[in-house]
Amino acid sequence: MLFIKNKSAISLMAEGGRLLANCMKMLENSIKPGMSTLELDKLAYKYIISNGAKPSFLGMYGFPNTLCISVNEEVIHGIPKKNKIIKDGDLVSVDGGVYLNGFHTDMARTFMVGSVLEERKQLVERTKQSFYEGMSFAREGCRVSDISNGVEKYINQFGYGIVKEFTGHGVGRELHESPEIPNYGPAGHGTRIVNGMTLAIEPMINLGTGKVKVLKDGWTTVTLDGKPSAHWENTVAVIDGKPVILTDSDVNI
């Protein structure tokens, strides 16, 4: 079911979005070679709880942690571990959500740790830009597949792999709401964009093949060829016909 939010609800979501964006900034400033992914997870848990919110992911579908932390060839849903040590040159994708005021917000970033190879830097920057290319179509009158097509058209020029098994989604009272938002496909199809929609747009882009597999833990998803992946996500609201990023430290609704 598609849930449309009024300005009051979006304003409440923006509070959670600011908190999550500030948490992500704190993590970016804290991450360094030698840290374990579990240490990073604990920092996020403490930050979210101390600011009066709850981690959206903790316990969701049985997930055991606050964050999904995926390193290099891990695409999404990496489980933080004390023996998973972050190294110089790693790409570390951090995906998190907060529940505040009765609403969820969802956000992901890929952090470049230390001295990162140029091809990896480009992958992260282009994944980030593909989010903006897609988001530009999150406006009244467009359709959901216009967002998908915007991501794909931009990424295809670089020959990267687009992950097709996982998608963006609506977000709000529930962490995962309708509609699904793939990162590929023809324009002009699917749900029409209207004011009050709140969407988690999240390109997941691989340096090599777009094909992935889920490891035996049932969560960690990796690239089939072992090449690195990047992930960039924000919660976006459609306000006065245009997209507004709610997971932003400076958002003011």
Side-chain angles (χ1 to χ4, degrees):
M1 182 181 293
L2 187 66
F3 295 98
I4 304 301
K5 286 81 174 178
N6 58 27
K7 284 283 185 73
S8 176
I10 292 175
S11 180
L12 292 174
M13 286 186 69
E15 288 186 35
R18 281 193 298 271
L19 193 163
L20 183 54
N22 287 331
C23 179
M24 202 65 76
K25 281 188 175 181
M26 178 274 294
L27 296 172
E28 183 177 17
N29 290 333
S30 301
I31 193 169
K32 60 184 178 181
M35 285 186 79
S36 73
T37 55
L38 186 59
E39 286 179 80
L40 210 59
D41 185 77
K42 288 180 177 179
L43 287 175
Y45 177 82
K46 182 177 180 180
Y47 188 94
I48 292 168
I49 294 297
S50 67
N51 280 279
K54 296 180 180 179
S56 295
F57 293 7
L58 184 60
M60 182 72 68
Y61 314 124
F63 189 76
N65 292 86
T66 294
L67 302 173
C68 297
I69 305 180
S70 308
V71 182
N72 296 328
E73 77 280 1
E74 297 172 350
V75 181
I76 52 172
H77 301 161
I79 299 174
K81 297 175 182 177
K82 65 180 179 181
N83 61 350
K84 183 77 172 183
I85 304 301
I86 297 166
K87 303 179 184 67
D88 184 74
D90 279 347
L91 297 186
V92 181
S93 295
V94 178
D95 190 0
V98 300
Y99 183 70
L100 182 68
N101 301 324
F103 292 94
H104 296 274
T105 50
D106 195 359
M107 180 181 186
R109 293 288 185 268
T110 296
F111 299 133
M112 296 180 281
V113 181
S115 300
V116 175
L117 293 172
E118 184 62 28
E119 66 175 4
R120 293 185 171 206
K121 290 180 182 179
Q122 290 179 346
L123 175 66
V124 174
E125 290 303 319
R126 289 165 177 171
T127 300
K128 175 182 178 180
Q129 184 58 35
S130 75
F131 162 82
Y132 288 102
E133 298 292 330
M135 186 190 73
S136 68
F137 294 99
R139 57 182 63 248
E140 194 172 27
C142 291
R143 292 187 181 273
V144 166
S145 73
D146 297 333
I147 299 172
S148 308
N149 186 254
V151 173
E152 183 179 34
K153 282 181 68 176
Y154 176 76
I155 287 299
N156 277 350
Q157 65 184 306
F158 306 113
Y160 296 149
I162 298 173
V163 176
K164 296 184 177 181
E165 288 86 346
F166 299 92
T167 70
H169 50 89
V171 60
R173 291 285 184 188
E174 302 294 334
L175 181 60
H176 296 107
E177 298 180 350
S178 294
E180 288 190 349
I181 311 170
N183 292 304
Y184 68 99
H189 296 274
T191 304
R192 193 171 292 280
I193 305 293
V194 297
N195 283 320
M197 291 178 75
T198 48
L199 308 170
I201 300 170
E202 51 175 322
M204 292 156 273
I205 309 299
N206 301 342
L207 188 62
T209 179
K211 295 181 179 180
V212 300
K213 65 178 179 180
V214 179
L215 299 184
K216 291 180 180 179
D217 63 15
W219 286 103
T220 309
T221 301
V222 301
T223 60
L224 205 57
D225 59 7
K227 293 184 178 180
S229 182
H231 187 191
W232 202 273
E233 176 186 19
N234 284 296
T235 296
V236 175
V238 183
I239 302 173
D240 297 329
K242 299 176 182 179
V244 176
I245 296 175
L246 299 184
T247 43
D248 187 315
S249 297
D250 299 320
V251 66
N252 185 22
I253 306 298

